[in-house]
Amino acid sequence: MTASVPAQCAAATAPVPEPAGMLRITLAYAPAARTLHMVDLLLPAGSRVSDALQAARQLECMGDVSIDWLECAIGVWGRKVKPGQLLRDHDRVEIYRPLRVDPKVARRERFDRQGARRVAGLFAKRRPGAKPGY
């Protein structure tokens, strides 16, 4: 996975000394597989996750990323949180895109395509005449 910072955000992500009473927050979003947008934000102390999302919406560099902000799940350091969650210094706010395919359905389809042909793993040893997958 590669982290990319759009050219418009270069000034926003340059290392700057933190003013007193400010939180340095990183906002991460992956619009597609193997693509990651990360933006550093400076927010006042006492800010919430919703404030970080609002600040990110106003940045030009996030304008080209089509995010349905209300439909996506939000987390801080890999844990799902609500928009009212208070932020701490150096938190990473993550915007999770919705799943395109149900994992159970994807597994069934993958097994239908390759499960009966493969001779490794759980289904390697079968009784003669048994159904594939049992």
Side-chain angles (χ1 to χ4, degrees), residues 57-69:
R57 271 187 232 166
Q58 295 172 355
L59 291 175
E60 289 180 16
C61 59
M62 295 300 282
D64 63 340
V65 178
S66 59
I67 303 172
D68 189 2
W69 300 88

Side-chain angles (χ1 to χ4, degrees), residues 28-104:
Y29 177 68
R34 301 187 191 281
T35 306
L36 178 65
H37 292 287
M38 295 183 77
V39 178
D40 289 336
L41 302 170
L42 280 175
L43 298 173
S47 294
R48 300 181 182 279
V49 171
S50 59
D51 298 330
L53 295 176
Q54 185 67 27
R57 271 187 232 166
Q58 295 172 355
L59 291 175
E60 289 180 16
C61 59
M62 295 300 282
D64 63 340
V65 178
S66 59
I67 303 172
D68 189 2
W69 300 88
L70 300 175
E71 293 296 318
C72 294
I74 304 162
V76 174
W77 289 111
R79 294 182 181 251
K80 191 172 178 182
V81 296
K82 294 182 180 178
Q85 172 79 28
L86 284 174
L87 292 171
R88 298 190 318 204
D89 197 22
H90 298 287
D91 272 350
R92 182 178 69 206
V93 177
E94 302 159 347
I95 303 171
Y96 307 119
R97 66 179 187 264
L99 295 175
R100 292 184 181 177
V101 179
D102 182 22
K104 289 182 181 180

Side-chain angles (χ1 to χ4, degrees), residues 101-115:
V101 179
D102 182 22
K104 289 182 181 180
V105 173
R107 184 183 181 284
R108 279 191 204 111
E109 289 175 357
R110 194 170 51 247
F111 180 78
D112 287 343
R113 283 193 317 266
Q114 66 188 3

